[in-house]
Amino acid sequence: MAQFVFDKKQKIGTYVVLFPINQGTYAETYRVKGADGKLRFLKLINKAKLQPSQMDGDGRIVEIEISKLLKHHNICSFVEDGELVNRGQLYAYFVTEFVSGETVAQRVTREQRCSVYDAKQIALAVLDALKYLHTMSTPILHNEVTIQNLMLDLNGELKDLKLIDFGHAQFLDHAGTRPKGSDWNPFYLAPERFNGVSCVQSDLYAVGCMLYHLLFGVTPWYVDLSRFDAAHVIDAILDERQKPLKMLNMDLYGLDEQLINTIVKATSQDIDQRFQTADEFIKAIKGELKVEGRQVGGNASPAKKAATLRPRGNGFADVAGMDELKARMRTEIIKVLKDPERAKQFGITIPNGILLYGPPGCGKTFFAQKLAEEIGCNFMYIKCSDVASPYIHGGQEKIAAVFNEARENAPTLLFLDEVEAMIMDRSKHNNVSESGEVNEFLAQLNNCGEDGVTVIGATNKPDMIDEAALRSGRLALHYYIPQPSFEARKQLFEINLKKRAVDLGIDYDKLATMTENYSCSDIKEIVDNAGRIAFGSDSDCITQTMLETACANLKSHLTLDVIRKHEAIRDGFESEDKQQGRTPMGFKK
């Protein structure tokens, strides 16, 4: 990868560079600090590398002129712009508000899934921004809606996300350019875009692709483009789109016929069959506009069993380190679930629930999935939003439905992510409905093991869980998931690099040393970033230098204070278990 034009601590205008963020074909982005001490985003544009469509008739950069006009909750606000000369080349730059967070793409990579509820919230926020753009006096087309161009504010909610990167945005009355170069994701482009035509419905098509991507982890009508030369790539994509759209996983919790029909309508190859406005699309997602069924590949009706999946994988072989924990799990959980009849001979029953707790990003969700693979049983993934309801007692009904479904498909591991939000300490609730939902969880936890259902709760905040949920007979078995050890970090690098083009002689010991107190998700992000460096520099493989650069550029999300806090919680749990006379297995001595 080429060096950034500016390094840390150098000045761009009145702004001090804190950190280079990203490089593209014609621009670079930086995190900077202004003279007022505030953090900002700065985009530096090499004017000589711009395409003609990115300039207006007066020689101004369209992206900057558009950014000056935008005032919307879901779009970063403009601060100022300027020009400078560096090494004989003319650059323009503009500055916007800073968002402390990550892109939706990074979040999906980190969490490895997106619930139906979250996908809807993301789509609604994007559509609200597009509704604003499309209804301006001169409508504006974003032209590049993808999960990479959505920024999440870590201090806000999904509805607060920002639609970013207006590098290929255009005014509707000047829209008309054929995508070129590697900046574009072709799987998000509507058919007319390949002919050099852009319109409001092109942006809405991209939102349909985004919804599909969030739900199924791959773009619609995906085809491996490496099999085609550049001249035949577009033909390959358009040929694939002649097939009915396939719903890859009909078992997603909350995926109903209305949402399926909404996605199919949004991604229609016939522009007249798509949603014509963002407002129409919004109403369809909210259920205020009924969308009739259309041609879908595979099974067109949602599966009756909404969230039950039998994971396929290598089980604990995919889990780096944690050998002691895996050994405990094999003895205390797996053997009981695999051979319940023999366990009964010794008075041991299937456990009702276990709790995985520890610092964020250290693999609790991943560990639970691999546990299900190791056992070979069904796995249900539930987030708080899956059982949320605006109606009184509506949440209790959803909770009961989830447990009933788990029983119907037993043996089942029922995984409750961020369980503290579902079974929060009742003394901290403000209304009867919320307390009722906690009571419903507690009632369902009682003896669910007898029905072949074991609940796994995962949390970063075990101190916020209602104490009644942690007693014997409920989430009684407590397992601490720590930040990865030295050996585990080595294995994490090896696992994450396994299916990538990698140089010979990678020094895993050095990489593990450089990432002390880094989380599992941090290490995956380092490898991903090294892959981007290799791809951007046209390298044949990921090298040691690229990995070290990626390590140096990513600060761990785990501070020592966070680690010590979680270790103190662990010590408290272990002390309490000892006082209660429980062995590590959670049974009385």
Side-chain angles (χ1 to χ4, degrees), residues 225-456:
L225 298 180
S226 65
R227 298 186 288 115
F228 305 93
D229 57 47
H232 295 93
V233 162
I234 293 176
D235 289 338
I237 293 172
L238 295 179
D239 286 346
E240 189 70 18
R241 291 180 183 179
Q242 298 306 308
K243 303 174 184 177
L245 180 61
K246 293 181 180 179
M247 294 295 146
L248 300 180
N249 180 4
M250 306 297 282
D251 294 338
L252 291 174
Y253 187 80
L255 179 63
D256 56 20
E257 188 174 358
Q258 169 74 7
L259 184 57
I260 290 171
N261 293 340
T262 297
I263 294 171
V264 174
K265 181 178 176 67
T267 56
S268 173
Q269 303 306 295
D270 184 345
I271 194 169
D272 293 330
Q273 296 299 318
R274 293 181 216 152
F275 295 108
Q276 298 302 296
T277 66
D279 191 50
E280 191 181 25
F281 201 158
I282 289 170
K283 289 178 180 177
I285 291 176
K286 291 183 175 180
E288 298 169 2
L289 174 68
K290 177 69 174 176
V291 182
E292 298 300 328
R294 294 171 183 272
Q295 189 181 18
V296 181
N299 180 6
S301 300
K304 184 177 179 181
K305 297 172 178 59
T308 307
L309 300 169
R310 179 150 299 193
R312 297 178 180 178
N314 302 314
F316 282 165
D318 292 336
V319 178
M322 294 196 251
D323 293 335
E324 182 180 346
L325 178 59
K326 287 186 281 190
R328 283 185 58 193
M329 282 285 182
R330 288 190 178 99
T331 301
E332 301 167 13
I333 304 295
I334 296 171
K335 288 181 72 172
V336 177
L337 291 175
K338 280 190 170 184
D339 194 356
E341 295 303 319
R342 183 171 182 273
K344 276 185 182 180
Q345 297 176 12
F346 299 93
I348 299 173
T349 59
I350 294 176
N352 293 323
I354 65 178
L355 182 71
L356 304 180
Y357 68 101
C362 291
K364 292 180 285 294
T365 302
F366 183 72
F367 190 90
Q369 291 171 330
K370 294 302 167 181
L371 175 61
E373 291 174 9
E374 193 78 10
I375 297 168
C377 67
N378 289 322
F379 182 77
M380 290 179 66
Y381 176 94
I382 302 295
K383 293 180 69 172
C384 185
S385 54
D386 293 328
V387 293
S389 173
Y391 305 108
I392 295 175
H393 305 311
Q396 291 170 249
E397 293 175 2
K398 285 189 173 183
I399 293 163
V402 165
F403 274 86
N404 287 337
E405 185 176 315
R407 292 185 182 97
E408 288 176 9
N409 295 281
T412 303
L413 287 187
L414 179 55
F415 181 71
L416 306 181
D417 201 5
E418 297 180 347
V419 67
E420 79 284 352
M422 305 183 208
I423 316 180
M424 185 181 290
D425 187 342
R426 282 167 291 185
S427 66
K428 298 176 183 177
H429 280 301
N430 298 319
N431 60 57
V432 174
S433 180
E434 290 175 338
S435 294
E437 290 167 6
V438 173
N439 291 335
E440 182 67 32
F441 268 116
L442 297 178
Q444 293 288 349
L445 275 166
N446 290 333
N447 303 317
C448 62
E450 294 180 3
D451 298 323
V453 177
T454 296
V455 174
I456 304 179

Side-chain angles (χ1 to χ4, degrees), residues 21-76:
I21 299 175
N22 192 32
Q23 281 183 316
T25 56
Y26 69 92
E28 301 177 347
T29 52
Y30 298 85
R31 183 188 305 171
V32 298
K33 181 183 287 187
D36 57 2
K38 292 183 178 179
L39 295 179
R40 306 286 189 195
F41 281 130
L42 184 147
K43 187 167 186 176
L44 182 70
I45 300 171
N46 187 332
K47 297 185 74 170
K49 295 184 178 181
L50 289 172
Q51 298 176 22
S53 61
Q54 294 175 287
M55 307 286 288
D56 65 15
D58 297 319
R60 296 173 301 190
I61 299 174
V62 175
E63 180 178 7
I64 295 178
E65 297 309 305
I66 286 177
S67 296
K68 291 177 180 178
L69 301 174
L70 305 181
K71 291 181 172 59
H72 188 271
H73 174 68
N74 296 115
I75 300 173
C76 292

